[in-house]
Amino acid sequence: MPSLVPTPPPKALPPNFAAKIVGTGLSAATYAMSLPGRSGGLTHAGFYGPLLPDCAAPAAFGVLGRRSAAPLLNTGLFADKVFSATAASSFLAGAIQFGALVIQALYFQLVRGYDVIDTGLAMVGFAVGAAVLPVSGRLTDRFGGGPVSLAGSLMTTVAFIPAAPLPTDAPLLALEACLLLLGIGNALSVLPSSTAAYVTVDPVTRPEPEAHGRLRLAGLDPRTAPQLDLGLLQHPLDVRKMIEAVALGRRLAATAPMRALGLREIAPGPAAASGTELAAYLRAHVKPYPHLCGTAPMGSADDPTAVVDNLGRVHGVPGLRVVDASILPDAPSVATNLTVMMAAELIADRFGHS
């Protein structure tokens, strides 16, 4: 097994350093955008000067993010074509959402003469349409992000086509219909795009384990303890994650503030330096954290690994439900208590309707 210890970055910059640069650039852009309105045009002498920091900020964010020990955003992910495409789609969907809201609000105020409260009430069509976001998530789970996002884009286009030629004195009901379609289209576009981008992220950056354990009955006697195999570090990717975690801990311990505290490495120690040595140490010493889950995972009836459906009903056993950490199909990246409470609240709420 080759060494999998990550190479330390050439210079560990503060994790929030790049974010401060972007914040400075955005502040400069906000100031620059306010100048044309005060001066009467884009030819204002000071307009383009403040824009320079804003143009430089994204470039600095990317360059410094690659040099940071803990970047706010791993810009290397954009090398993945699917991630880049879906990230761009999410960005454009967000631009449509906020841009449309700002422009529409200005239309109601400047063209129709509405005050702030009436303008807010007039925007209710978009809010109602965007409320279908949970439905968008379910459609994404069933049909995938591509078809749902395409439907959202078409819905957005359909909303804009009739809105463009409407006269300034058009009935408010017609405008609300367009806003409703725009809200629905946005809800159908943003979530699928974000989902598609997330699934392309390098699995090493996600905390969920790849390996799965097994729980089997030891016999017909209910008093006999079952056979439990946790499957710890049985997947190569899980081993790689743990090796990188040890390497990160060592890098942190080697920083000046930590050295000033007199910290020293107790385990695994200098004897475990290569990837092979670390893997052997981890397999011998890693212990489970007491948040076991997934022994009766939820899933569809045709899934051979599923025990219950999404409402905790045991497949093939009428009247029996399971509502605890065992029904989680994957190990969450947080403590299981809040996840189980959320699942229990949801199932209890729908108990009388299923």
Side-chain angles (χ1 to χ4, degrees):
M1 178 179 178
S3 176
L4 295 175
V5 180
T7 303
K11 183 179 181 180
L13 298 173
N16 61 345
F17 187 70
K20 291 180 179 179
I21 291 180
V22 173
T24 302
L26 292 177
S27 299
T30 302
Y31 171 72
M33 290 301 179
S34 70
L35 296 178
R38 289 163 29 190
S39 62
L42 298 178
T43 58
H44 187 278
F47 173 63
Y48 294 99
L51 278 182
L52 292 178
D54 183 55
C55 295
F61 184 89
V63 173
L64 296 178
R66 297 302 295 269
R67 295 176 58 85
S68 175
L72 181 67
L73 172 66
N74 182 6
T75 54
L77 296 175
F78 289 96
D80 186 286
K81 294 180 180 179
V82 177
F83 184 90
S84 296
T86 50
S89 176
S90 298
F91 172 79
L92 293 175
I96 291 173
Q97 175 182 356
F98 293 106
L101 288 176
V102 172
I103 293 174
Q104 193 65 47
L106 290 175
Y107 167 80
F108 283 127
Q109 292 184 16
L110 300 180
V111 177
R112 296 211 165 200
Y114 289 4
D115 60 22
V116 175
I117 295 178
D118 288 340
T119 297
L121 293 175
M123 299 294 293
V124 69
F126 185 92
V128 173
V132 304
L133 192 61
V135 178
S136 173
R138 294 188 179 184
L139 292 176
T140 302
D141 290 338
R142 182 167 183 178
F143 300 106
V148 179
S149 183
L150 177 61
S153 300
L154 294 175
M155 185 75 71
T156 302
T157 303
V158 169
F160 276 122
I161 290 176
L166 286 177
T168 56
D169 58 348
L172 181 60
L173 185 60
L175 291 174
E176 291 300 322
C178 294
L179 285 173
L180 176 66
L181 292 177
L182 183 61
I184 296 175
N186 186 262
L188 293 177
S189 300
V190 175
L191 186 60
S193 297
S194 302
T195 301
Y198 176 77
V199 298
T200 66
V201 175
D202 183 0
V204 173
T205 64
R206 288 182 255 163
E208 294 84 358
E210 299 295 325
H212 295 277
R214 288 180 176 273
L215 178 65
R216 295 179 177 179
L217 296 178
L220 298 179
D221 188 349
R223 294 169 295 182
T224 303
Q227 298 175 350
L228 178 62
D229 176 14
L230 297 178
L232 294 177
L233 300 182
Q234 292 182 3
H235 194 286
L237 193 54
D238 292 338
V239 179
R240 179 182 170 189
K241 292 178 184 179
M242 292 296 294
I243 290 176
E244 293 196 355
V246 172
L248 176 60
R250 284 174 167 173
R251 288 210 304 269
L252 292 175
T255 60
M258 291 297 183
R259 291 199 308 268
L261 297 175
L263 295 181
R264 62 185 182 87
E265 181 178 338
I266 298 176
S274 69
T276 302
E277 293 166 341
L278 281 174
Y281 178 87
L282 291 169
R283 286 194 173 97
H285 294 85
V286 165
K287 298 294 188 294
Y289 196 65
H291 285 284
L292 304 182
C293 64
T295 53
M298 65 174 67
S300 59
D302 57 356
D303 183 353
T305 65
V307 177
V308 302
D309 64 8
N310 62 334
L311 294 179
R313 295 172 295 200
V314 178
H315 295 306
V317 185
L320 178 61
R321 293 179 188 248
V322 179
V323 187
D324 55 26
S326 67
I327 70 173
L328 302 181
D330 291 299
S333 55
V334 295
T336 55
N337 58 332
L338 292 179
T339 308
V340 173
M341 290 169 62
M342 178 275 298
E345 290 282 355
L346 178 64
I347 293 176
D349 182 65
R350 297 184 180 180
F351 182 80
H353 307 285
S354 59

